[in-house]
């Protein structure tokens, strides 16, 4: 993701994936919102990044895994970054924590000076 048009393309790709997997409209909105926030963070704070979508099929369940990686400055204090109200920019500080609440599985791997990878998953509700 190197520009605004890439962020829009990522949003459309995530929406298409949620439709293909049969997520209901509420979960579609949750997933697209979380992915959009994470992609924007990678673009703004990580100076660009990549988005990978994986369709999951495990034990009769369907899900979507989203991995967003960048090679930016990394996150010095992950717990602090997940706290609502914390921001390093002009935003409201709800991004990472909000995205975590919208998804079911959420991990952050970050090394200061080397970048950040966020992996998140949501499963289709039967």
């Amino acid at each position: 993701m190197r520009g605004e048009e890439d962020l829009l393309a990522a949003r459309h790709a995530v929406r298409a994936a949620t439709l293909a997997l049969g997520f209901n409209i509420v979960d579609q909105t949750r997933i697209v919102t979380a992915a959009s926030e994470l992609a924007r963070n990678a673009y703004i704070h990580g100076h660009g990044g990549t988005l990978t979508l994986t369709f999951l099929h495990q034990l009769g369940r369907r899900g979507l895994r989203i991995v967003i990686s960048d090679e930016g400055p990394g996150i010095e204090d992950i717990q602090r970054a997940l706290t609502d109200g914390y921001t390093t920019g002009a935003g409201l500080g709800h991004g990472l924590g909000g995205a975590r609440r919208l998804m079911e599985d959420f991990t952050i791997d970050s090394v200061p000076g080397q970048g950040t990878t966020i992996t998140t998953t949501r499963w289709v509700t039967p």
Side-chain angles (χ1 to χ4, degrees), residues 33-122:
T33 300
S36 295
E37 178 60 35
L38 297 173
R40 183 164 292 286
N41 280 354
Y43 170 61
I44 292 171
H45 301 291
H47 314 297
T50 60
L51 169 108
T52 304
L53 302 175
T54 305
F55 287 44
L56 304 173
H57 300 279
Q58 296 176 359
L59 303 171
R61 299 189 315 164
R62 297 181 323 270
L64 180 63
R65 176 168 295 136
I66 301 169
V67 178
I68 297 182
S69 297
D70 67 55
E71 295 179 3
I75 301 171
E76 293 279 337
D77 185 342
I78 292 172
Q79 290 301 358
R80 186 171 176 207
L82 287 167
T83 303
D84 282 344
Y86 176 77
T87 182
T88 58
L92 297 174
H94 297 300
L96 287 178
R100 178 176 63 174
R101 285 188 296 277
L102 292 170
M103 301 298 283
E104 292 169 331
D105 300 316
F106 189 94
T107 60
I108 299 176
D109 294 309
S110 188
V111 177
Q114 294 181 19
T116 300
T117 297
I118 297 176
T119 303
T120 186
T121 304
R122 187 151 185 106

